[in-house]
């Protein structure tokens, strides 16, 4: 008997080979082949695990990954694109946001609860898609009942033939509703008010625990009252459709499916893990950093976390940690945590050649984004090859002389370059604009040369 991941991961992604996974990632992220290989193998191993006997599959833990590299080289994007490819619940957290137990700050278990919330929303959206047609039909019938109240029950001696005219009228109303000829009419419907009572969180309790307890003790408090509102037909139909969707969805089933999906296919990306790296014997804040590592350790090792949707096991969640490690080293993490990230990949800093590729190659490359934005104003914006190389050259120069923020520098450079066109765009008489090397030099050369100015502007 095989163990299977949740239903939506059983898509074409389940047949992707590591080479194909890397090819998919190449469409969005430039370079970093070592990191792509590592995450591709991790994803493929998940698929391989599905085909094993449950007893053996339960024993095979995911091989967590530690990405080492400066900011702006694609660490987060690789993890995010991988999760989208696998249709897995994905959460990005910063390790520096967590604090040791007993201090004011976020509890490390909250990352798992947040992932479950994302999983519930993901499953709920899929179930809504399944029932959308039925919900729309039900909402239409309810709205027709308001526009054309249903007939009284037949009397014992009454002929049913009189009802044919009513049915024909209802059908005509339905046609008019679908054709949009009733859009200007106003109807009165009952809507549920969203009211949330205010309360204080008692020290030592989590928000989820307080939420569960209050709902158990005071069920009527969280139901929300209904009130009558007058809405135009399209708004009323949209509201009634949403209400019908909620009725058709079994939230208990959604919660169970979401917990299972998170347990078997969830991915948590822990960024800035180098910020909590500290050695034993240190003083001051270093002690707290080590405490955070020890709090994160059981989550990564595999534990059970209480959420409002039930108990969630973290044994098979894939953890991807990332950090620049400028000041600290991976070996500065506590040994137990190091052992839980057996795959280490180093991402390379980006240079001029990579910047040129980032500007032009990916599906949603920056140049393509700006061209599309200007098209909305009727502007035909084009970039020459020399201009693109010059932009990349300026971005690299600024990174070398100020803080190296990787590909993120391209955003600031392009915004400054296109500042005038973006502002004057709607008023331009000549709607054909070509960005060449001379224009790039005119707009950026002085700022790049003035190191003090470029620190603030770029």
């Amino acid at each position: 008997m095989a163990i299977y991941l949740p239903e939506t991961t059983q898509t074409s992604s389940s047949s992707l080979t590591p080479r194909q996974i890397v090819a998919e990632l190449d469409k969005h992220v430039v370079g970093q082949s070592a990191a792509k290989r590592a995450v591709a193998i991790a994803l493929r191993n998940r698929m391989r695990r599905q085909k094993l006997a449950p007893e053996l599959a339960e024993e095979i833990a995911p091989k967590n990954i530690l990405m080492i590299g400066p900011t702006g080289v694609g660490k987060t994007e690789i993890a995010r694109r991988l999760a989208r490819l696998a249709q897995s619940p994905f959460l990005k957290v910063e390790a520096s946001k967590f604090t040791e137990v007993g201090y004011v700050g976020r509890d490390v278990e909250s990352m798992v609860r947040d992932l479950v919330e994302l999983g519930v929303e993901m499953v709920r959206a899929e179930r809504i898609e399944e029932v959308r047609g039925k919900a729309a039909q039900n909402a239409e019938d309810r709205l027709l009942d308001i526009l054309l109240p249903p007939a009284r029950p037949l009397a014992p001696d009454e002929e049913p033939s009189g009802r044919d005219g009513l049915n024909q009228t209802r059908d005509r109303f339905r046609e008019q509703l679908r054709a949009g000829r009733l859009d200007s009419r106003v109807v009165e419907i009952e809507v549920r008010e969203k009211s949330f009572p205010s309360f204080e969180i008692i020290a030592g309790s989590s928000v989820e625990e307080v939420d569960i307890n209050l709902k158990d003790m005071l069920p009527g408090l969280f139901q929300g009252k209904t009130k009558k509102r007058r809405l135009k037909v399209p708004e009323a139909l949209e509201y009634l459709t949403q209400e019908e969707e909620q009725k058709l969805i079994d939230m208990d089933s959604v919660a169970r499916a979401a917990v299972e999906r998170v347990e078997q296919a969830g991915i948590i990306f822990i960024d800035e893990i180098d910020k909590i790296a500290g050695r034993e014997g240190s003083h001051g804040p270093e002690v707290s950093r080590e405490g955070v590592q020890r709090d994160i350790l059981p989550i990564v090792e595999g534990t059970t976390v209480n959420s409002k949707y039930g108990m969630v096991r973290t044994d098979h969640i894939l953890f991807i940690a990332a950090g620049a490690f400028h000041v600290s080293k991976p070996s500065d993490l506590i040994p137990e945590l190091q052992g839980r990230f057996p795959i280490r990949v180093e991402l390379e800093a980006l240079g001029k050649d990579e910047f040129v590729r980032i500007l032009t190659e990916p599906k949603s490359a920056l140049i393509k984004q700006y061209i599309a934005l200007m098209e909305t104003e009727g502007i035909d914006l084009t970039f020459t090859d020399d201009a693109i190389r010059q932009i990349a050259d300026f971005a690299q120069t600024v990174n070398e002389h100020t803080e190296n923020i990787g590909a993120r520098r391209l955003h600031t450079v392009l915004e400054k370059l296109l500042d005038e066109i973006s502002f004057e765009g709607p008023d331009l008489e000549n709607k054909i604009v070509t960005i060449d090397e001379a224009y790039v030099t005119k707009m950026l050369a002085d700022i790049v040369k003035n190191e003090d100015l470029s620190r603030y502007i770029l």
Side-chain angles (χ1 to χ4, degrees), residues 10 24 38 45 74 97 106 128 141 149 153 234 281 317 331 358 378-379 393-394 410 416 447:
Q10 303 296 320
E24 286 296 317
N45 280 340
K97 293 282 174 65
R106 293 206 72 190
I128 283 176
D141 289 338
I317 293 175
S331 58
I358 289 167
I379 297 171
D393 189 43
F394 280 148
L410 293 171
K416 187 63 186 171
I447 299 172

Side-chain angles (χ1 to χ4, degrees), residues 199-212:
F199 54 85
E200 292 184 8
I201 304 298
I202 303 115
S205 301
S206 70
V207 178
E208 288 83 359
E209 289 166 357
V210 174
D211 189 26
I212 293 163

Side-chain angles (χ1 to χ4, degrees), residues 359 363-375 411:
L359 287 168
K363 269 189 174 181
S364 55
L366 284 174
I367 295 289
K368 295 174 187 174
Q369 291 177 26
Y370 281 99
I371 289 171
L373 284 171
M374 289 301 107
E375 268 180 17
H411 290 272

